[in-house]
Amino acid sequence: AATFQTSTNILTDAASLVTDCSLGDVQSITCANDNVRVFALPTNLKTGSIFITEVINTSGAPLTNTTWAAGYLPVNPTLPATANRRDQMWRWDGTKAHLIVQSAADVAN
């Protein structure tokens, strides 16, 4: 059965975003620039677990260099426009993260 604990792991902005789900089911990143960054595959998840990636864009520009590692399906969900955020909900199958749903539209920060 899927588990969900609704705590947030604030990610350190870096080239590789470490998504450790033992620190929270919501993996949140605030992007203050358009640097290259990749959401790494999540760690510390049981098969069937649900987790969320939250991307907050405060860069003043479109995010063109934020991506998800191979193993996320689809690999690159929609990113938010400047001054907005988007959430993506994923299900972990043990080796891959499958997109269940994402914000239908940008949400203002």
Side-chain angles (χ1 to χ4, degrees):
T3 60
F4 200 70
Q5 58 194 18
T6 65
S7 56
T8 300
N9 178 24
I10 305 298
L11 302 172
T12 300
D13 196 3
S16 181
L17 301 174
V18 178
T19 53
D20 182 350
C21 289
S22 71
L23 301 175
D25 290 326
V26 179
Q27 306 293 308
S28 181
I29 182 67
T30 298
C31 302
N33 55 51
D34 192 29
N35 289 349
V36 172
R37 61 183 65 84
V38 177
F39 273 95
L41 282 177
T43 60
N44 298 310
L45 278 174
K46 294 180 183 174
T47 298
S49 291
I50 304 293
F51 68 100
I52 293 171
T53 52
E54 174 185 54
V55 180
I56 303 166
N57 184 354
T58 62
S59 72
L63 297 176
T64 59
N65 291 306
T66 300
T67 58
W68 280 254
Y72 282 92
L73 303 172
V75 173
N76 291 316
T78 305
L79 291 166
T82 189
N84 287 278
R85 67 182 62 214
R86 279 197 186 239
D87 293 341
Q88 301 82 23
M89 181 178 283
W90 307 87
R91 182 185 55 80
W92 182 245
D93 74 2
T95 59
K96 293 186 177 12
H98 300 267
L99 184 65
I100 297 170
V101 66
Q102 70 176 341
S103 305
D106 286 350
V107 175
N109 291 337

